[in-house]
Amino acid sequence: MDIFVVGLSHKTAPVSIRETVAFAPEHIGTALAQLKQIPCIAEVVVVSTCNRVEIYAAADQGAQGIEAVRGFLARYHNLDAEQLNKHLYAHQGDAAVRHMFRVAASLDSMVIGEPQILGQIKDAYAYAVEHQSVGLIMNRFLHKAFSVAKRVRTETNIAGNAVSVAFAAVELARKIFDTIEGKTVMLLGAGEMCELAARHFVNNGVKEVLVANRTFARAEALAQEFCGRAVLFNNFADHLHQVDIVLSSTGATNFIIHPEEVQQALRQRKQKPMFFIDIAVPRDIDPRVNNVGNVYLYDVDDLQGVVSANIDERQKEAVAAEAIIEQELLQFNSWVNSLEVVPTIVALRQKMERMRRREVEKTLGQIKNLDEQGRKAVEAMSQALVNKILHQPTAGLKRAQKDAAAQPYVDALQELFELKIEPPEQGEMKQMDLD
Amino acid sequence: MSILLYKVALLMYAAVTLLSLVAVVRNRKNDRSRSRLFLLLAFGVHTITLTVRYFEAGYTPVTNLHESLSFFAWALAGVFMLIDLQMRMQVMAAVTSTIVTVFMLFGSLMPMQTQDLNPALDSFWLPVHVGLAFMGNAVFTVAFVAAILYLIQERMLKSKKFSALHYRLPSLETLDRVNYRCLKFGFPLMTMGIISGAVWAESAWGTYWSWDPKESWALITWFLYAALLHGRLTVGWRGRRAAIFAIIGFCFLLFTFLGVNLLLPGLHSYSTMAG
């Protein structure tokens, strides 16, 4: 049984193609039903997001399955097959498994480490389960992909650092204060950007929000939303010493916060650190404020710089993630291989043949006066016996493989007849079955 | 026997240093817990070393430079593990275990044999005075490490240029709190260390204070830390200034411990290399 994938993603197709090939949720059922009709395909899952459309399947012959799915995609969407094929990629065997693991672990995403993709694959799997298009192999495959993604997430820092400006601000605050919980935030100006950043802070446990805006009514409305309080814009400097974090995005053309006010506030709050975030363009806060001790000032460009540094950091973590994926790939392969019955049948036959030969030689050695014809008869009889004995179990094993239910038989045969089968490694197989 | 154990402990600390550095670089949870476990094991072996030496020598083994370094390293490892229970900071673990290993290595270069106890030291006050002083030193060493890390992290946050260390270091507030907490515990220990020394001096030599170099330098160090504590409590010294103070304080402390012994002759000079 081969696992393969056919699909396209943001890396191979522009959005104009992606949107024509995408499957809306209500159409996935139909697509799965049609794919199941294709004779060589045993199990299938359709993943469709705005950045990728991929069909994962198990088939007797991978190459045949790939061609069938390519044809299906063109037919289903009424596209020119040749045109479409330019954007499609196809992998089978190891490459397909690796591809799925990388996608699930968000290594193939536009923004590496973004978490949505795993949820989208889980949805795709749920559809497939609902439409009964998955069996033993795909079940195991998808669950493995989920666990690989989880391992990557916990063992590497791939999703660790913020890649949006608002989140970056929250993370910086975490490097200044040991926790954001219980801190006080002041919003200067009530712009959208400010509101978004404030919401991130509130979600991370900020205790109190003060809002100052030139239109007091707007300040009050926003304050209500955050269960905070509004203060008069002209008096905001008087409240500076009460707040730990200042988010500023007013439309002012001149600086509204200067080092003098900040120094004053700091004295009042016994030098407890302050974090100023200036999202306004033109800037609201005099850059010299950053030179005041225990004060940290970040403007939009600074935050953008942090974001790109974080993206670099994620790239580095991706290297560790790839190593995890290779490791898991080996494990999964050994499980897939264990489903194969042929090596077991071959080993069983060889063992029987060795026994037969030994016994025939022993018998012929004991009966001295047997002529050529007699010898041949003994030989033929023993061969027939072995073939008869092995015929039914062999057929049974092959049948079981078709239903993907051969593993218990394979295990039993290997155990009872003490068969030695080269790869896959037995130890890893056993371990896999436990998880 | 205790010398052999000492060497084992030294090697184990070296292994801990290596493991914790790996844990910082790779930033994986397994590495972190392994380095922690190894530190605990190394500390256990070191504790046995000190106990064995206590019975071999028949006195608390803090009478020469080798023994003092060993005890200092032991106290540092112990104090760090206590702090680490509350706030897990891998980078601190790496730096602290490096310092412990350096002390141990330095200690292994000193003459290590036990010798007959100098009669002047044969007193109940020996373990009390030295124990308190070194506990205080150990706590201040942790404060020193936190202060260095604070300055690194602060520099990155101010300049907005981040190295990989930024992601691995704790927050400024956390580092500052370690600094403060160490000061709160270290200062009383140091004070009691000095007082117990004075009381011992009175009973041994008939005078509380004789201005020998160790005493003078200890007093200077004490004043530094007293100033820092005062600044923190009254005017809210914190952050960068407190970190710089903790670093200067540690330099004085190290000089009081090592420099005075090696460079300046005085009443405490039995604890030099010759023993």
Side-chain angles (χ1 to χ4, degrees):
Chain A
M1 201 66 89
D2 288 338
I3 291 175
F4 67 87
V5 56
V6 176
L8 47 76
S9 73
H10 58 95
K11 288 185 177 162
T12 63
V15 66
S16 57
I17 302 287
R18 297 205 301 273
E19 63 194 8
T20 52
V21 180
F23 295 90
E26 60 270 24
H27 294 145
I28 286 188
T30 346
L32 286 171
Q34 289 187 22
L35 282 161
K36 258 179 17 182
Q37 298 297 314
I38 301 174
C40 64
I41 290 178
E43 304 177 28
V44 61
V45 174
V46 173
V47 177
S48 180
T49 76
C50 54
N51 280 332
R52 65 180 67 248
V53 178
E54 289 176 339
I55 294 176
Y56 292 89
D60 285 332
Q61 297 294 324
Q64 213 182 343
I66 287 171
E67 281 319 303
V69 171
R70 278 183 195 273
F72 162 80
L73 279 172
R75 247 191 348 271
Y76 188 93
H77 296 291
N78 286 323
L79 294 167
D80 176 41
E82 211 167 305
Q83 279 296 319
L84 182 61
N85 275 343
K86 276 198 284 193
H87 300 288
L88 289 178
Y89 47 79
H91 306 292
Q92 61 170 315
D94 280 4
V97 175
R98 185 182 294 116
H99 184 78
M100 166 59 106
F101 288 177
R102 293 189 74 246
V103 170
S106 195
L107 291 176
D108 201 48
S109 303
M110 212 177 247
V111 179
I112 290 186
E114 59 89 14
Q116 286 94 324
I117 183 64
L118 183 59
Q120 288 161 337
I121 294 177
K122 282 185 174 165
D123 290 344
Y125 175 60
Y127 283 122
V129 170
E130 193 186 323
H131 293 93
Q132 297 171 346
S133 71
V134 284
L136 179 85
I137 293 185
M138 279 291 151
N139 277 328
R140 184 67 170 243
F141 181 37
L142 270 289
H143 280 123
K144 191 73 191 170
F146 303 152
S147 78
V148 171
K150 193 176 165 211
R151 224 190 118 189
V152 166
R153 198 152 289 264
T154 51
E155 290 182 25
T156 74
N157 203 20
I158 191 145
N161 304 307
V163 287
S164 79
V165 165
F167 264 123
V170 173
E171 261 174 27
L172 279 169
R174 282 221 183 87
K175 287 294 179 190
I176 295 169
F177 309 106
D178 54 2
T179 164
I180 298 175
E181 265 167 57
K183 297 288 185 252
T184 303
V185 173
M186 174 152 40
L187 298 186
L188 292 175
E192 211 174 304
M193 192 68 174
C194 219
E195 205 183 316
L196 176 71
R199 205 169 296 283
H200 280 310
F201 275 110
V202 169
N203 290 342
N204 282 284
V206 154
K207 183 191 69 177
E208 202 185 2
V209 180
L210 303 188
V211 186
N213 193 42
R214 284 197 205 275
T215 7
F216 190 67
R218 177 86 185 96
E220 272 184 319
L222 199 56
Q224 205 157 25
E225 212 172 305
F226 291 122
C227 302
R229 63 193 161 98
V231 296
L232 288 172
F233 189 79
N234 289 333
N235 296 348
F236 82 83
D238 299 339
H239 298 277
L240 220 45
H241 69 278
Q242 300 164 354
V243 301
D244 305 288
I245 299 160
V246 176
L247 271 167
S248 185
S249 72
T250 72
T253 44
N254 295 319
F255 296 141
I256 58 168
I257 298 179
H258 308 88
E260 294 75 32
E261 290 110 47
V262 176
Q263 266 159 351
Q264 168 70 23
L266 228 63
R267 262 195 298 280
Q268 278 174 287
R269 52 192 270 115
K270 281 193 158 190
Q271 303 293 322
K272 278 205 301 206
M274 289 180 85
F275 182 25
F276 288 84
I277 303 152
D278 186 355
I279 327 182
V281 179
R283 289 176 294 178
D284 284 340
I285 304 174
D286 189 332
R288 286 178 301 161
V289 164
N290 194 43
N291 300 336
V292 179
N294 295 318
V295 172
Y296 305 88
L297 164 65
Y298 280 73
D299 63 30
V300 171
D301 283 359
D302 297 333
L303 291 173
Q304 209 65 57
V306 172
V307 165
S308 48
N310 286 352
I311 290 174
D312 290 349
E313 197 65 14
R314 283 191 178 193
Q315 304 280 12
K316 280 186 218 152
E317 290 295 316
V319 177
E322 301 280 2
I324 292 176
I325 285 176
E326 288 309 310
Q327 208 182 344
E328 297 281 345
L329 178 67
L330 275 181
Q331 270 197 17
F332 184 74
N333 272 347
S334 77
W335 176 77
V336 171
N337 289 336
S338 77
L339 295 178
E340 289 291 335
V341 299
V342 176
T344 307
I345 295 174
V346 170
L348 185 61
R349 277 207 164 276
Q350 280 167 350
K351 178 142 196 172
M352 289 296 208
E353 176 61 21
R354 274 199 303 279
M355 289 204 282
R356 186 192 67 80
R357 185 149 299 283
R358 227 183 7 254
E359 292 306 314
V360 166
E361 273 162 19
K362 217 155 74 185
T363 309
L364 293 181
Q366 280 163 1
I367 315 172
K368 293 275 188 282
N369 52 353
L370 203 62
D371 59 4
E372 188 58 22
Q373 205 181 359
R375 285 172 176 271
K376 272 193 178 144
V378 170
E379 190 83 28
M381 187 273 280
S382 62
Q383 259 165 7
L385 197 57
V386 166
N387 284 340
K388 282 258 148 57
I389 291 172
L390 285 181
H391 174 73
Q392 247 176 349
T394 308
L397 270 177
K398 284 183 174 158
R399 232 182 2 260
Q401 183 180 20
K402 280 228 167 70
D403 306 335
Q407 214 190 349
Y409 301 116
V410 169
D411 286 348
L413 282 172
Q414 288 175 6
E415 180 77 29
L416 294 176
F417 286 93
E418 294 181 353
L419 300 178
K420 287 202 178 57
I421 290 162
E422 306 290 88
E425 300 96 278
Q426 305 286 309
E428 276 196 26
M429 258 170 57
K430 294 248 164 57
Q431 222 179 11
M432 283 239 339
D433 292 336
L434 292 175
D435 63 37
Chain B
M1 178 66 184
S2 71
I3 292 175
L4 179 69
L5 276 168
Y6 181 89
K7 286 175 179 161
V8 174
L10 167 61
L11 285 177
M12 288 181 76
Y13 281 126
V16 173
T17 305
L18 214 65
L19 282 173
S20 52
L21 284 172
V22 167
V24 169
V25 174
R26 287 211 302 197
N27 204 13
R28 307 271 175 272
K29 207 171 142 206
N30 290 355
D31 294 344
R32 288 199 287 272
S33 24
R34 194 168 21 170
S35 80
R36 224 163 242 123
L37 178 69
F38 258 74
L39 179 58
L40 188 65
L41 287 175
F43 181 72
V45 171
H46 198 176
T47 309
I48 297 169
T49 311
L50 294 179
T51 317
V52 169
R53 192 169 175 103
Y54 175 82
F55 286 110
E56 277 179 3
Y59 54 82
T60 320
V62 283
T63 59
N64 62 19
L65 201 48
H66 162 72
E67 290 172 346
S68 304
L69 282 163
S70 172
F71 188 75
F72 194 161
W74 178 80
L76 179 55
V79 166
F80 173 74
M81 285 197 304
L82 278 181
I83 291 173
D84 193 52
L85 279 182
Q86 283 203 341
M87 357 178 143
R88 312 232 124 169
M89 288 175 287
Q90 193 52 48
V91 187
M92 289 234 12
V95 181
T96 312
S97 49
T98 310
I99 297 180
V100 169
T101 311
V102 169
F103 278 168
M104 291 292 281
L105 200 63
F106 196 16
S108 73
L109 300 176
M110 302 290 133
M112 293 203 271
Q113 299 75 23
T114 52
Q115 65 261 78
D116 292 334
L117 186 60
N118 183 328
L121 295 175
D122 187 10
S123 160
F124 145 79
W125 287 104
L126 173 70
V128 176
H129 168 60
V130 181
L132 285 168
F134 276 125
M135 282 307 207
N137 285 358
V139 174
F140 283 130
T141 309
V142 175
F144 162 75
V145 173
I148 297 265
L149 298 181
Y150 182 97
L151 291 184
I152 295 173
Q153 179 73 301
E154 204 235 18
R155 156 129 240 130
M156 287 193 283
L157 279 165
K158 279 275 193 197
S159 68
K160 291 145 196 177
K161 287 190 191 71
F162 302 115
S163 71
L165 208 53
H166 166 75
Y167 302 97
R168 289 158 172 75
L169 280 173
S171 71
L172 291 178
E173 218 176 33
T174 310
L175 289 167
D176 192 48
R177 228 185 28 220
V178 174
N179 186 319
Y180 188 29
R181 193 168 293 181
C182 288
L183 190 62
K184 274 196 293 194
F185 284 98
F187 190 71
L189 283 169
M190 187 182 217
T191 311
M192 287 191 293
I194 292 176
I195 292 174
S196 64
V199 174
W200 184 13
E202 206 277 335
S203 71
W205 303 319
T207 165
Y208 285 107
W209 199 266
S210 27
W211 294 108
D212 96 304
K214 193 105 173 173
E215 288 171 0
S216 312
W217 282 98
L219 194 65
I220 295 172
T221 315
W222 185 85
F223 269 118
L224 265 171
Y225 282 115
L228 175 56
L229 189 62
H230 179 77
R232 269 201 179 268
L233 290 173
T234 55
V235 265
W237 280 7
R238 62 174 79 228
R240 193 179 159 73
R241 189 185 305 219
I244 292 173
F245 247 91
I247 291 169
I248 297 175
F250 179 74
C251 293
F252 274 84
L253 185 148
L254 209 58
F255 184 74
T256 309
F257 169 44
L258 291 176
V260 171
N261 283 3
L262 299 174
L263 304 175
L264 305 170
L267 289 172
H268 279 79
S269 54
Y270 32 72
S271 49
T272 53
M273 292 223 262

